[in-house]
Structure formats: structure tokens, C-alpha cells
Amino acid sequence: MIKSLNTRFDDSSNRGHFDRTFSSAVVKAYRFSQPLSLLLLDIDHFKKFNDTHGHLVGDDCLQMVANCIRDYVTRPQDLAARYGGEEFVVLLPDTPKEGALRVAEKIRSRIEETGFRVSDEVLHLTVSIGLCAVCPSQADATKDIFSWADGALYEAKGRGRNQVVVCEPPSVQGAEPVMT
């Protein structure tokens, strides 16, 4: 069940709930040396879509994306939320990179395949996804983890969109993360 993907898209409650849950999940992952994965999703070219089709259609588009995410974020400890605008976050506690990558690819593929009807047209949307999977080395690593996932998201957009990019966090403090 996705607790924060609501139909009203109240970004502040979604984001606040996500921030609290994310912080707790990082502490738990650190304490028990468990993997934690974070996905950041952004609908490709959404501003142009909104400008062309209007905000009401844009809201329907956001709901369609939320439903596609909901289909693959199913464990009780997982969390998906609208983070703002056309961005969504998915938190996957106790999930290593390989599992998170499978989830991310399923979401990306499902959104690409799902037709979105606008009047007499059927459009297809795409998303770019940044993924960071890590066993946190400190209890307050939320900013680093989010930053790494965000960097991977922007790398996915820079590589042409409609793809998942994985950030390999640096193993040495001060080193740059590797994007794959």
C-alpha cells in the first residue's frame, strides 16, 4: 500500500511524510547494516505537456504515473510519494541495488507502455529515474543519499531521458560518485 500517493497531490504532506519516513529508514539501515534504496522519478518534458494540454489533464497524467508506481511498490515497508511538481520518490528499505533496479525498470517500462488518452489522441509518457542503493555509513546520511539519487536522475536526463541511472556512492569520503 502506498501511503502518500493521494489523489489530491498535497505535496506538503507527501513530502513531510516522506522526509520523516526516509530519516527513520536511514537510521534503521545504519543501525542494522541493511541496504536502503532510493528512487527519484521525474516525468520527462512534463512542463511542455502541461503547457500543451492544460493543468487538469496534467493532474490526470500525474495520477496515471502514481498508479503505475503503485503497481510495483507493494511491500508494507516501502513508500512512494509525490515529492513536488512532476517528481516522485520511492523508498525501498532493506533492498539492495539489484532489487531496486528491477523495480525502477518495471516502473519506467510500465509508464512508457501505458497509453494516456487526451481527447482523440493516445500519448505515451516517459520518466527518468535516479537510483541510489547504499548501506548507510552514518545515521544522518539522508542528504548524501538524496543528493546521490538526484545526481543520478540528472544524469539520466542528460543521457537522453527515459532511463534508469544508478549512482554508486563513493567508498572514500570526498570522492565523486560513479553513475552507471
Side-chain angles (χ1 to χ4, degrees), residues 39-57:
L39 311 177
L40 295 185
L41 297 85
D42 190 73
I43 302 172
D44 296 327
H45 306 291
F46 188 70
K47 181 179 179 346
K48 181 180 177 185
F49 182 91
N50 239 2
D51 290 347
T52 302
H53 301 288
H55 293 281
L56 290 176
V57 173

Side-chain angles (χ1 to χ4, degrees), residues 8 11 18 53 87 90 98 104 110 114 121 130 158 176:
R8 290 190 319 270
D11 290 343
F18 165 75
H53 301 288
E87 288 186 327
V90 175
E98 297 77 18
R110 176 51 123 13
T114 300
E121 268 185 286
E176 291 296 314

Side-chain angles (χ1 to χ4, degrees), residues 137 144 148 169-178:
S137 59
D144 288 337
W148 294 327
S171 57
V172 177
Q173 191 169 358
E176 291 296 314
V178 176

Side-chain angles (χ1 to χ4, degrees), residues 51-109:
D51 290 347
T52 302
H53 301 288
H55 293 281
L56 290 176
V57 173
D59 284 349
D60 290 342
C61 167
L62 291 168
Q63 186 63 52
M64 184 273 294
V65 169
N67 289 336
C68 289
I69 294 169
R70 184 177 288 118
D71 288 343
Y72 295 105
V73 181
T74 57
R75 300 179 311 172
Q77 70 269 28
D78 296 344
L79 175 70
R82 182 160 174 225
Y83 196 71
E86 68 275 10
E87 288 186 327
F88 294 85
V89 291
V90 175
L91 180 63
L92 303 170
D94 201 17
T95 305
K97 176 177 70 172
E98 297 77 18
L101 185 56
R102 279 193 300 275
V103 170
E105 273 299 333
K106 285 178 180 180
I107 291 170
R108 187 204 60 74
S109 178

